[in-house]
Amino acid sequence: PFLALRFQPPPQALSPIHREAAGLWMAQVLDEDLDRLRRLAGNARLVTDPEDLVLSDVADANWRRPSDRLIKVETVEAVTELLRSGFVVEKVVLQPTQLSDLWPVLSRRFAEPGGDGRWAGQPRAEGEGGEKARCELLLGDGALLSQVSGIRKSSNLGLAFALARRQPPNTLGLECAVPGLGDRGACVRILALDGLTDAFNVGACVRTAVAFGASALLCSEQCCDPYNARAVRSSRGLVFRLPVVVGPLPALLQELRGLGVTTAAAVVQPGARFLDEVPSLPNRWALVVGSEHFGVADDTREVCDLLLKVRMAEGVDSLNVVVSAGVLLHGCVEREASDGSRLEGVDADCPAALAARSEGGGKPVAAG
């Protein structure tokens, strides 16, 4: 049954007897999977008609339409990351062939009866009822999902969809949004995006930041939405692993500096230091990368402790923002001091250095 479901050999490759047997096996396994899904979440059902209204959300025209309330998630990798997160999920559309890999995630997500699209035991928001949060689980084969969504690929194996609720904007300040920020001894790594407009680049930067252990993502108000469907797909769903704060970057960076975080901007203008000239950094830092055409804005650069650039070959003046972010994030992680005390790469009068010295009883920080 597993082989019949997982690999689905073309009908012409099987004899009539084998085709009938394979069809019976697949039908039996699918019935068992549906029963199991319904025990987890009562709203599970199989969809076979492309005109079925339950699939209208993933229809081509509707799926491409932006939403202020919902996050649209595409590909089985991104849907898996969403299901592992704390976001409330309203609808999941999967293929039967994907269930064997997703059972552990689905079982944990829907461990409590009722089919709510949240982690087991996660509290409801004030005024939120069970029916309002109920999640639909739909199963349909890859050809059906491709036909409904208009997505044409050489293979439909990874095709899956989900709808999740956007979380309310953070109004409590960065200290509440970013893990460890209030603890001066905790390691903090933050990537800030200033005015990036390409959704693919935003998602790729998120994926890079998660790879280097970022604590949070900051976005300027002019930045492309990191929960844009294309950005989510580009991040492979890793955006659901990071707290995201959107707001005026100069003010957010000033707040970080007041909490002992060293701020650095990636620029190409004169006056910036090459990354390889900075021997070490504290273990609390934020890196700002700018838009594809205009770079980091002037008012954002002015509140940064460091201006950094990547050494390149003669005649090359810039890198793609994702490549630049990857090089600089890796370099910052490599230069971290284990105790957060080394500040040779930072201006001695910047807020981060002053905070470190004041916590050390007013003595200068030892170099090396």
Side-chain angles (χ1 to χ4, degrees), residues 61-107:
N62 292 335
W63 188 255
R64 303 302 168 196
R65 188 177 297 121
S67 172
D68 293 330
R69 190 181 75 85
L70 295 173
I71 303 170
K72 301 181 179 184
V73 185
E74 180 186 322
T75 77
V76 68
E77 289 177 322
V79 170
T80 302
E81 289 293 339
L82 170 65
L83 291 172
R84 288 176 176 149
S85 75
F87 282 76
V88 175
V89 183
E90 293 197 353
K91 179 176 288 187
V92 180
V93 185
L94 300 171
Q95 300 180 50
T97 52
Q98 297 163 349
L99 288 176
S100 59
D101 294 330
L102 284 174
W103 278 125
V105 179
L106 290 169
S107 298

Side-chain angles (χ1 to χ4, degrees), residues 184-197:
R184 295 297 182 105
C187 175
V188 173
R189 302 168 180 169
I190 295 173
L191 178 64
L193 306 180
D194 187 12
L196 271 69
T197 56

